[in-house]
Amino acid sequence: MGDQEFHLPKSLGNHTPKIGLVLGSGLGSFVDTLDDNEQVAYSDIKGLPQSGVEGHAGKLHLGKLGGIEIAIAQGRVHLYEGWSAKETASMIRLFHQIGITTVVLTNAAGIVNANFKPGRWMLISDHLNLTRQSPLTGEATFIDQTEVYSRALREMLKSEAAEIASAYLFEGVYAWVNGPEYETPAEVRMLRGYGADAVGMSTVPEAIQARALGMRVVGLSCLTNYGAGLTGQALSHDEVIEVGRQAAGELFTLLENAVPAMVEI
Ligand code: HPA
């Protein structure tokens, strides 16, 4: 076991989840809905970076959702805190270490496509890495990125969402930026020109890392606000967290149905 990157408490050995979920800003309340929930603080896992950002409490939860075993990472670290891209993808390597094969990445994102609506969810179809950082730097790992976000899982999620009247899913391209400052209106116009539908500061390094390890990836963005310049309003982190909180219930309803379907695909 000495060559393993993360040193995990022994009690975690009782759980054998195949699905891992990473929760974004404001979505932490999701974990209250887990059955048989066992929690481990990130500080009790040797090798894992610790976040200091409000709304990103660092805990790993192991429990059941819709009757299926799942690991949920509540809180992640970001480039803007000074971590490397490789460090921001640590949780994915931990998931891989414990046998997880499918990762569900969630985040809070700003809207770039003005047809999208705050408070709604966007299924990530593809991404733009605008940070020029990679979690794979240092390895000659030339992975294919033709289909980072599993098409089969996306189709399944869309049909599950269609069964729940309130859970309408947008679908689009997520642009990863460094932050921590939000974009200028000129940057939001540029992002739209590049083909982005939403913008945020996470998820992409985890998706790249997961693909490099041969895992399946699903990405879901909570559209918390219009990007700068799309309305006359200023952006605030408090609003991002609050809208995320309100949208967490819908994510739960969707995943409660979709997680059991995920293990069948
Ligand atoms: N921009 C970047 N990241 C974000 C935003 C935004 O508008 N909202 C939530 N995360």
Side-chain angles (χ1 to χ4, degrees):
M1 297 283 271
D3 57 347
Q4 296 208 312
E5 182 178 355
F6 305 99
H7 200 89
L8 295 154
K10 283 214 170 54
S11 62
L12 290 195
N14 303 329
H15 301 265
T16 52
K18 292 280 171 267
I19 297 176
L21 168 68
V22 179
L23 288 176
S25 309
L27 302 172
S29 66
F30 187 93
V31 295
D32 300 341
T33 53
L34 277 188
D35 297 321
D36 307 330
N37 186 353
E38 181 172 345
Q39 309 178 16
V40 192
Y42 289 178
S43 52
D44 291 331
I45 303 176
K46 249 188 258 151
L48 204 61
Q50 318 283 320
S51 171
V53 181
E54 199 194 330
H56 296 273
K59 269 188 203 147
L60 180 66
H61 299 254
L62 291 115
K64 282 190 179 160
L65 183 65
I68 303 294
E69 277 200 81
I70 187 168
I72 303 192
Q74 182 187 15
R76 55 154 72 94
V77 297
H78 303 82
L79 284 185
Y80 61 74
E81 296 167 75
W83 302 100
S84 69
K86 181 168 182 164
E87 285 164 330
T88 66
S90 295
M91 185 54 72
I92 304 304
R93 293 190 299 281
L94 188 157
F95 278 174
H96 184 252
Q97 186 176 312
I98 63 174
I100 283 170
T101 53
T102 302
V103 299
V104 181
L105 305 170
T106 66
N107 61 49
I111 294 173
V112 173
N113 179 343
N115 296 319
F116 290 5
K117 298 274 176 291
R120 286 275 170 77
W121 287 88
M122 183 188 88
L123 201 48
I124 302 178
S125 58
D126 202 349
H127 69 230
L128 289 167
N129 177 358
L130 301 177
T131 67
R132 308 326 305 151
Q133 307 288 318
S134 168
L136 309 181
T137 296
E139 316 167 22
T141 311
F142 305 106
I143 60 156
D144 173 57
Q145 289 201 97
T146 308
E147 190 185 310
V148 174
Y149 304 89
S150 161
R151 186 175 294 275
L153 292 177
R154 267 187 281 146
E155 292 308 319
M156 180 275 287
L157 273 163
K158 281 190 275 187
S159 65
E160 289 293 341
E163 306 268 306
I164 310 163
S166 65
Y168 180 78
L169 285 180
F170 290 106
E171 187 169 17
V173 174
Y174 175 88
W176 180 35
V177 296
N178 299 70
E181 69 283 2
Y182 293 119
E183 299 68 42
T184 63
E187 286 165 342
V188 170
R189 287 192 297 274
M190 177 197 75
L191 290 167
R192 188 67 190 133
Y194 277 5
D197 295 295
V199 57
M201 306 172 194
S202 68
T203 304
V204 168
E206 295 156 323
I208 296 170
Q209 178 69 82
R211 294 302 296 140
L213 293 169
M215 301 159 98
R216 302 191 300 175
V217 179
V218 171
L220 285 156
S221 290
C222 178
L223 304 168
T224 53
N225 57 281
Y226 282 110
L230 291 185
T231 70
Q233 263 187 313
L235 275 56
S236 86
H237 181 61
D238 290 348
E239 183 193 346
V240 166
I241 299 288
E242 186 48 38
V243 176
R245 267 194 196 127
Q246 289 168 18
E250 192 170 291
L251 178 74
F252 171 70
T253 310
L254 177 62
L255 290 184
E256 198 179 28
N257 295 302
V259 161
M262 245 172 230
V263 291
E264 319 244 302
I265 294 180

